[in-house]
Amino acid sequence: MKKILLVNYFYGNFTGSELIIKQLAELFHQQGYEIHIAAISFGGHLIANTETPITYIDLFNIRSFTEEYDLVWAHHSTILTHCLFEKNLRYKQLILSILSPYEPMESIPAYFEYVDLIVANSLETKLQILEETNLKANPIKLFPNSVPAAFFKPHTINGSLQKIAIVSNHVPQELRELQLLLQATDIQLDIYGMADNYQEITPEILMSYDLVITIGRTVQLCFALGIPVFVYDQFGGPGYLSASSYRTEEKCNFSGRSTPTSLSAEQLHSNILSGYTSATQELNFFNQLAHKKYHFENNLSATLKLLASEKNLQENPCSYIQKNFLYLKRSNRNYFHLLRHINEHNKNNKFELRYHQASEYLLIEEPINTEDTIELSCALPADALTQTIRIDPVDNLIKVLNIRELSLSYQVDGQNYIEDLLHSVTGNYRTKKMNYCIFDTADPQLHINCSIPQYSSPIEQVHLKIRYHLLAS
């Protein structure tokens, strides 16, 4: 089975780059790939919404990649550089996807000429790459924010504006003030985003609204569903799009940066109401445009065909990059020292194990090294086997634990026995997928009921062993 590594700064929230990684994972899984995702930060929100079987790789908690990948698809070149020079990443082909013309983590690395294929999310991003590399980074494939097949659904707007959704993780104040004005005209306004109703945006959510105010990838999602969209957010924006004006906004990824016009709440209210009927008349055009230009499966297929036709300057580009750009190892390291400091701040790095005995708790505390898989083997009295054993992994809000081993060893009449306890684990996690436990509490707990055979002779030399990997906090 082919293996693909998807590289992103983080994987846990409903932001653009993370949702693209999720889409890629789903589609490559359908094509028969084994999926690995590498990041420096994981979170329970997105992992809980991910059904695809995935191996998650925490870049702060591995010393080195252990296998070669058939394909690497990487966002955030600083993270890719870390993988290449600190974690000995090996691959056959590499796609570097650049998602921003100004974000530092999206900058072009010095080894760009030896990347098999560079893709950009917009013409604005592509032109910035060409300028920064003095045109040497050509050709660059455009891979715009694209729409999964699930969003291409027949949907009819009745022409009456009754419900509006704002989809944004950075809602400007004038949009919040718009809510009171709309209520006065009996129009419902709901806000989805990190500071409001935070969830993954599905076709069903969008289809319950007559208009969506947003920027970025949600614009194309609305095109596919046939929902009017008003482009406006933190950069301002043009408002409603038309067949004659959309190209200007497409150039900048429908971010609003092409038309950075900020309006008052009153002006927004007036523009939304006065332009709605005209916007509904453009829906068929934008739906056809989504089919033609923003269909995720079609765009990925075209990109992979282009990758197959490209010939790298080096026969083994991965090894060539690691040998000839070694100076990047040191220059990139300071950046990761800062990231580690931020990531590790305020962590309580202790492992706690408790079991109930004579109305008292025995507490075992061990310091843990968060750079490695956590492993602890501790002796227990035999009567602990009649109790529920409680494990408190760490005290943080939102985390994902990958439990790799949980076993109990003991002796009876000098004979050694080992019981696998993975199937006996319960806890206060929100959900459990395979061996991944996803918590959204500041007091995560695992509970183990030890079900071992009854013996006529005493049980001795009892040891509990656990190996787990802290993916998120």
Side-chain angles (χ1 to χ4, degrees):
M1 178 182 291
K2 288 186 175 181
K3 294 182 175 65
I4 182 171
L5 177 70
L6 305 174
V7 178
N8 208 62
Y9 178 10
F10 29 57
Y11 190 82
N13 294 310
F14 306 125
T15 65
S17 67
E18 293 165 288
L19 290 170
I20 293 171
I21 290 292
K22 184 189 176 196
Q23 290 175 212
L24 289 167
E26 291 169 350
L27 201 53
F28 276 109
H29 174 65
Q30 292 171 16
Q31 296 179 4
Y33 280 78
E34 181 180 315
I35 312 297
H36 294 200
I37 294 178
I40 64 167
S41 175
F42 290 88
H45 292 302
L46 193 53
I47 292 178
N49 278 42
T50 302
E51 299 296 332
T52 306
I54 291 171
T55 298
Y56 298 105
I57 301 173
D58 186 340
L59 293 172
F60 280 155
N61 289 326
I62 64 165
R63 288 189 172 88
S64 177
F65 286 99
T66 58
E67 52 194 317
E68 182 181 59
Y69 291 95
D70 296 282
L71 177 62
V72 172
W73 184 299
H75 299 154
H76 306 129
S77 62
T78 49
I79 309 300
L80 173 63
T81 299
H82 182 72
C83 292
L84 281 166
F85 294 100
E86 298 286 354
K87 304 301 179 183
N88 193 32
L89 174 62
R90 292 172 292 122
Y91 59 81
K92 295 177 182 176
Q93 288 187 298
L94 167 64
I95 294 176
L96 176 60
S97 175
I98 305 297
L99 301 176
S100 169
Y102 60 85
E103 165 60 49
M105 284 198 301
E106 302 281 3
S107 58
I108 287 291
Y111 48 86
F112 67 87
E113 292 180 276
Y114 304 98
V115 173
D116 294 286
L117 184 63
I118 298 173
V119 298
N121 70 335
S122 70
L123 181 58
E124 178 192 28
T125 300
K126 177 178 178 176
L127 293 176
Q128 182 66 25
I129 295 171
L130 292 174
E131 180 182 340
E132 290 175 349
T133 61
N134 195 23
L135 305 181
K136 292 180 180 178
N138 222 2
I140 300 171
K141 165 74 174 176
L142 283 180
F143 193 105
N145 280 334
S146 299
V147 183
F151 283 84
F152 287 95
K153 292 186 174 184
H155 177 58
T156 302
I157 291 290
N158 61 21
S160 175
L161 183 53
Q162 298 176 339
K163 291 181 64 179
I164 300 176
I166 294 174
V167 179
S168 172
N169 290 323
H170 24 66
V171 183
Q173 184 60 32
E174 59 267 28
L175 282 183
R176 295 194 180 276
E177 293 172 359
L178 178 64
Q179 197 158 26
L180 292 176
L181 297 176
L182 290 170
Q183 286 175 355
T185 52
D186 295 324
I187 297 175
Q188 176 182 332
L189 177 64
D190 300 322
I191 303 178
Y192 295 86
M194 283 187 177
D196 300 277
N197 183 4
Y198 196 48
Q199 57 184 297
E200 185 172 1
I201 300 300
T202 64
E204 291 70 30
I205 289 175
L206 293 179
M207 288 167 64
S208 67
Y209 293 94
D210 306 306
L211 173 67
V212 176
I213 302 172
T214 192
I215 58 171
R217 70 184 291 274
T218 311
V219 172
Q220 283 103 324
L221 300 184
C222 292
F223 288 172
L225 288 168
I227 299 172
V229 60
F230 190 92
V231 179
Y232 190 93
D233 204 275
Q234 60 179 338
F235 302 113
Y240 290 115
L241 301 173
S242 68
S244 60
S245 70
Y246 84 91
R247 291 182 184 278
T248 301
E249 309 309 322
E250 181 189 50
K251 175 184 176 181
C252 292
N253 195 34
F254 299 106
S255 62
R257 290 193 300 273
S258 293
T259 312
T261 304
S262 295
L263 303 175
S264 67
E266 290 76 15
Q267 289 172 316
L268 287 167
H269 182 258
S270 175
N271 290 357
I272 287 169
L273 295 184
S274 64
Y276 184 71
T277 300
S278 296
T280 61
Q281 295 170 358
E282 301 273 7
L283 294 179
N284 185 62
F285 170 82
F286 285 113
N287 182 259
Q288 294 301 313
L289 184 70
H291 279 276
K292 181 181 178 181
K293 298 185 71 173
Y294 307 131
H295 195 291
F296 188 82
E297 287 83 347
N298 293 346
N299 288 345
L300 181 61
S301 177
T303 299
L304 294 179
K305 286 181 181 178
L306 182 59
L307 176 67
S309 68
E310 290 293 314
K311 183 169 179 60
N312 202 293
L313 295 174
Q314 296 297 323
E315 187 172 334
N316 190 337
C318 179
S319 297
Y320 182 86
I321 290 170
Q322 290 166 328
K323 179 180 178 181
N324 290 277
F325 295 87
L326 188 60
Y327 63 87
L328 292 175
K329 181 173 184 176
R330 185 149 46 116
S331 63
N332 207 54
R333 188 172 285 170
N334 191 48
Y335 175 77
F336 271 81
H337 284 326
L338 176 61
L339 287 182
R340 181 182 294 280
H341 173 75
I342 295 171
N343 200 50
E344 299 293 329
H345 186 58
N346 288 334
K347 282 190 177 180
N348 175 13
N349 297 331
K350 286 190 177 181
F351 173 99
E352 297 181 357
L353 182 144
R354 302 166 185 259
Y355 71 93
H356 193 264
Q357 184 183 39
S359 300
E360 297 291 337
Y361 279 103
L362 173 68
L363 174 62
I364 300 172
E365 289 190 356
E366 292 285 341
I368 61 175
N369 180 359
T370 57
E371 294 186 25
D372 301 312
T373 296
I374 299 158
E375 179 172 327
L376 181 68
S377 181
C378 57
L380 295 176
D383 59 2
L385 302 182
T386 63
Q387 313 292 336
T388 296
I389 298 175
R390 170 179 149 188
I391 296 175
D392 291 30
V394 283
D395 292 330
N396 290 242
L397 184 62
I398 294 289
K399 74 276 302 156
V400 181
L401 301 181
N402 177 13
I403 306 176
R404 298 181 172 179
E405 180 181 354
L406 183 58
S407 62
L408 190 74
S409 62
Y410 56 92
Q411 285 187 356
V412 178
D413 292 333
Q415 181 71 35
N416 294 321
Y417 297 90
I418 297 179
E419 299 287 341
D420 182 0
L421 299 179
L422 275 176
H423 65 282
S424 304
V425 176
T426 60
N428 62 349
Y429 42 77
R430 182 173 65 189
T431 186
K432 186 170 185 285
K433 294 190 175 184
M434 297 184 288
N435 291 335
Y436 293 98
C437 297
I438 302 167
F439 297 88
D440 57 3
T441 170
D443 184 25
Q445 299 175 17
L446 298 173
H447 304 284
I448 307 166
N449 293 310
C450 300
S451 55
I452 64 173
Q454 297 294 320
Y455 296 97
S456 56
S457 300
I459 298 175
E460 301 175 319
Q461 301 293 320
V462 180
H463 279 79
L464 181 73
K465 181 179 180 181
I466 182 170
R467 287 195 307 120
Y468 72 87
H469 192 149
L470 174 64
L471 274 176
S473 62

